[in-house]
Amino acid sequence: MKFCSQCGSEVELRIPAGDTLPRFICPVCHTIHYQNPKMVVGCIPEWEGRILLCRRAIAPREGKWTLPAGFMENNETLAQGAARETLEEANARVEIRELYAVYNLPHISQVYLLFQAKLLDLDFSPGIESLEVKLFEEHEIPWDEMAFRVIHDPLKRYLEERRKGQPVFHVGMINRSSS
């Protein structure tokens, strides 16, 4: 950050009084600009045991497969964000169900939240951020072509737990060295 979003003055990076972390502070209007982690919401859309995946049309990892997910917007709930991202990326309507996984990615200041979801119909198609969307049987999932470990790992766990009868909520972390 170089300039204050309130008054346009150049900001300084320093620890404000009463705080413990460096923040961007405007020396003119004294606004403290807090930067907080981004929330990424998505879902595992299912139809009769098959999983809907999207092939990315954008960087990073263009051409790789992922679950529909993206950054939350202001004024929406977690479930609304997951449903919106599924509609944007796959033109698919879903019923958002239980929260399945929360993954911390501190090295990029993100938190991923994935829900279980049911596709409401088979009327889906690539959205602007997707090259292709497709329903996969478990044995067809292109594991070596998955875009992100934060999608690969919970999906793999979900399918293993589903085979055992009941997926269980999970909290995990992806470190820089393993993403």
Side-chain angles (χ1 to χ4, degrees), residues 20-144:
T20 58
L21 298 173
R23 313 285 184 183
F24 290 106
I25 303 170
C26 179
V28 176
C29 72
H30 308 290
T31 299
I32 301 171
H33 298 276
Y34 294 93
Q35 294 178 311
N36 302 104
K38 302 271 187 200
M39 306 293 284
V40 178
V41 291
C43 66
I44 303 171
E46 288 189 80
W47 179 270
E48 297 178 354
R50 295 177 290 167
I51 305 294
L52 184 72
L53 295 177
C54 305
R55 187 185 295 267
R56 293 178 59 82
I58 59 172
R61 313 267 169 74
E62 184 177 348
K64 300 291 185 180
W65 291 95
T66 189
L67 292 168
F71 294 113
M72 275 189 76
E73 296 291 348
N74 291 331
N75 303 309
E76 71 181 358
T77 67
L78 296 171
Q80 288 169 337
R84 176 187 50 75
E85 284 293 337
T86 304
L87 189 58
E88 286 178 5
E89 295 182 8
N91 290 307
R93 285 149 304 287
V94 291
E95 174 187 314
I96 299 296
R97 295 188 167 169
E98 296 81 24
L99 181 62
Y100 175 67
V102 175
Y103 273 80
N104 297 287
L105 287 82
H107 63 285
I108 56 173
S109 299
Q110 293 180 359
V111 177
Y112 274 64
L113 299 107
L114 288 173
F115 288 87
Q116 296 177 54
K118 176 186 175 187
L119 275 174
L120 296 178
D121 55 53
L122 294 176
D123 184 21
F124 58 82
S125 62
I128 195 164
E129 296 181 2
S130 300
L131 297 169
E132 176 182 6
V133 290
K134 182 178 175 184
L135 278 172
F136 288 92
E137 295 284 346
E138 183 175 349
H139 69 277
E140 299 172 322
I141 293 175
W143 294 109
D144 293 339

